Amino acid sequence: MSHISKEKAEFKIVDAFNGLEIVDADYQEQTFSKHVHEGYTIGVIDKGAQRFERSGSIHIADENSIIFVNADDVHTGESATQDGWRYRAMYPHPSHFESMTNDLYDGQFNAPYFNHAVVKDPQLSAQLRLLFTQIDNNASKLLIETILYSIMMYMTLRHSSMKNTPDDISGSKQRLLLAKEYLDAYPEENVSLLTLATMAGLSQFHFIRQFKKVFYIAPHSYQIQMRLKKAKTLLMLGVKPVQVAIDCGFHDQSHFNRHFKKAMGTSPSKFQKQAVLYKML
């Protein structure tokens, strides 16, 4: 009997707080390579279990667990069971927390940092499932934003601390950040290792070692993630995948497709159809 894959990943862009990305995914064999998201990943496991690395540590999230991955946390993902795992997740951007944290902290915006990668919180699980159900039922924007605000407030107060301020960053890390910020700003450029190492004031050998030590990902892998981040933006704007591949610095269409699937669990064309469709609704 031939093996039939049941893998799926359905993305939506919800009309809430200027756009919220969510996913409904069911995976058996999907393996996510090291990657990062511009926003947070906050998901609830509906069945099975997921094994993932977050910032250098391995975690397992089983049924009804909640996954927290902070914005720009390097992470992976794979099944921790023979039958795979199903989950629903949202990807709020740090800016989504801005008005809420301004309310909480007297106008001082600090993005929350979720210390634990996996938590058991039945109340939050129920809130997240309520949110996804209301989205599926095409509830009003006001209702969805009210539920989402409540979830974000609850998560921040119960499960987060605040990020370190720039004053807490060491001088060596600050120099590495210059190189990282260059890759953020110009992901499509075919920049040399020497150029990045010079920005950080390190030899090429030490730059690679230090970058990976501080950010948990190699420089070339981080560049790919920034290219994929730009690619998602262009795809949601309706740019054809073949042109996106060129604009984002990938060698060719197949190279782009392969990396996108490993990071997102779906193809660029399918992601685009789903994202553009729900933006139009």
Side-chain angles (χ1 to χ4, degrees):
M1 183 180 294
S2 61
H3 173 72
I4 300 176
S5 174
K6 297 180 181 178
E7 313 242 314
K8 76 164 189 176
E10 297 180 355
F11 290 86
K12 297 180 183 179
I13 307 298
V14 180
D15 183 20
F17 293 148
N18 298 315
L20 173 71
E21 185 180 332
I22 66 169
V23 66
D24 182 354
D26 194 345
Y27 294 124
Q28 289 182 314
E29 300 174 356
Q30 173 70 28
T31 299
F32 292 93
S33 58
K34 282 189 175 183
H35 64 287
V36 295
H37 295 292
E38 181 180 7
Y40 297 83
T41 300
I42 299 162
V44 58
I45 303 292
D46 287 332
K47 72 174 182 67
Q50 180 188 15
R51 180 187 298 109
F52 64 102
E53 178 182 345
R54 192 192 96 171
S55 300
S57 298
I58 302 297
H59 308 273
I60 293 180
D62 59 8
E63 192 169 325
N64 295 319
S65 295
I66 297 166
I67 294 172
F68 285 112
V69 179
N70 298 294
D72 294 328
D73 269 350
V74 177
H75 60 287
T76 62
E78 62 183 0
S79 178
T81 66
Q82 184 176 355
D83 296 326
W85 80 105
R86 175 170 181 161
Y87 70 101
R88 300 201 68 173
M90 63 176 184
Y91 302 91
H93 191 274
S95 63
H96 286 131
F97 287 91
E98 181 171 359
S99 61
M100 182 191 65
T101 52
N102 282 341
D103 292 343
L104 287 173
Y105 300 107
D106 298 324
Q108 179 63 44
F109 168 56
N110 287 290
Y113 185 86
F114 298 102
N115 297 297
H116 299 290
V118 180
V119 300
K120 289 281 192 179
D121 186 328
Q123 181 177 339
L124 181 55
S125 295
Q127 286 182 313
L128 285 167
R129 289 189 168 113
L130 174 63
L131 173 68
F132 297 135
T133 297
Q134 293 300 330
I135 290 171
D136 290 343
N137 292 337
N138 295 315
S140 69
K141 181 175 182 178
L142 178 59
L143 176 57
I144 290 173
E145 289 188 341
T146 300
I147 297 171
L148 182 58
Y149 188 92
S150 176
I151 289 172
M152 291 165 62
M153 179 75 76
Y154 178 89
M155 290 188 305
T156 301
L157 292 173
R158 187 174 181 87
H159 294 294
S160 81
S161 61
M162 306 312 292
K163 285 186 177 179
N164 291 337
T165 63
D167 291 340
D168 296 321
I169 300 174
S170 67
S172 60
K173 183 175 180 180
Q174 206 149 19
R175 290 193 297 272
L176 284 167
L177 280 172
L178 293 175
K180 179 177 177 289
E181 289 167 359
Y182 186 88
L183 293 174
D184 292 343
Y186 307 104
E188 72 285 348
E189 285 199 10
N190 190 25
V191 63
S192 70
L193 175 60
L194 178 59
T195 297
L196 294 174
T198 301
M199 289 180 191
L202 297 168
S203 69
Q204 295 175 72
F205 173 74
H206 282 96
F207 172 73
I208 295 173
R209 290 186 62 187
Q210 289 299 109
F211 193 98
K212 191 170 184 179
K213 180 179 179 181
V214 171
F215 301 116
Y216 303 100
I217 190 170
H220 71 279
S221 297
Y222 185 78
Q223 182 186 54
I224 289 173
Q225 296 311 308
M226 292 305 98
R227 288 177 174 179
L228 291 175
K229 175 182 172 182
K230 179 178 179 179
K232 282 180 63 181
T233 299
L234 294 177
L235 289 169
M236 287 189 285
L237 290 173
V239 181
K240 292 182 178 179
V242 64
Q243 186 62 46
V244 172
I246 295 170
D247 292 346
C248 294
F250 290 99
H251 298 315
D252 52 40
Q253 182 72 28
S254 63
H255 186 230
F256 171 45
N257 289 348
R258 183 170 68 254
H259 282 293
F260 196 93
K261 179 72 162 56
K262 287 176 70 177
M264 297 297 298
T266 191
S267 68
S269 58
K270 185 176 180 182
F271 173 84
Q272 183 177 59
K273 288 176 183 177
Q274 294 172 342
V276 172
L277 170 65
Y278 284 97
K279 283 187 75 174
M280 292 173 62
L281 292 180

